[in-house]
Amino acid sequence: MVSFFQMLDEVNERIYKPNGLTLTAAREEAQNSDYGGGVFRLNARSVRLRVAKITPRKAGQFVVFWEKDESGKNAAYSPDTATDLLVVHAFADTKGCSGQFVFPKDALVNQNILKTAATPGKMATRVYPSWDTPVSKQAMSTQAWQLPYFINLNDNDHSRIQRLIGLYTG
């Protein structure tokens, strides 16, 4: 498993620094360390990073994001406690692929991932990178809303990197 600081160092050197983005205030989130969990600031935006886990029997990858509520129970983030962006880094075991989902807070609210007065939110979900081919209708629907926020990082195609920077800078 890739740790938060390993992932952050790699992305900082490959994407952030060369494109003039400044990373500050990085800290690991112990409760989500199994998923490379941590938070940082990128220029003026707050970012929560996770590394998705490949699951052998199901398409897509699994990722968690939760906090402890006031009574010490695991709870979904709310718009007030969520960062500006949720970044999920995905890998493919056999294809040598990697990429990032950069979800803005409003997309997470629209997809009922953040808790609101109307929805309990989610503490975990599956992500479906472009190289995955889900078969269930629900998984295909999930991939359809997720793909506009996904960038495949397998090559250094300038337009892909610029699109990724656009997702970060919003």
Side-chain angles (χ1 to χ4, degrees), residues 4-30:
F4 168 68
F5 286 108
Q6 288 172 314
M7 186 80 269
L8 194 56
D9 286 345
E10 178 183 323
V11 174
N12 192 34
E13 293 300 319
R14 183 173 175 198
I15 297 167
Y16 303 158
K17 281 184 183 179
N19 289 285
L21 300 176
T22 303
L23 184 147
T24 59
R27 69 175 172 79
E28 187 174 32
E29 292 181 307

Side-chain angles (χ1 to χ4, degrees), residues 57-94:
R57 295 186 187 155
K58 214 171 178 184
Q61 298 180 31
F62 189 74
V63 64
V64 301
F65 33 84
W66 51 267
E67 63 184 342
K68 294 285 186 184
D69 66 13
E70 53 280 344
S71 63
K73 294 181 182 176
N74 296 353
Y77 288 101
S78 71
D80 292 336
T81 61
T83 53
D84 298 326
L85 302 170
L86 171 64
V87 174
V88 179
H89 199 93
F91 294 96
D93 262 351
T94 58

Side-chain angles (χ1 to χ4, degrees), residues 53-62 126 128 132 136 138-139:
K53 286 188 176 182
I54 296 168
T55 54
R57 295 186 187 155
K58 214 171 178 184
Q61 298 180 31
F62 189 74
R126 297 191 77 73
Y128 299 92
D132 280 344
S136 76
Q138 181 179 0

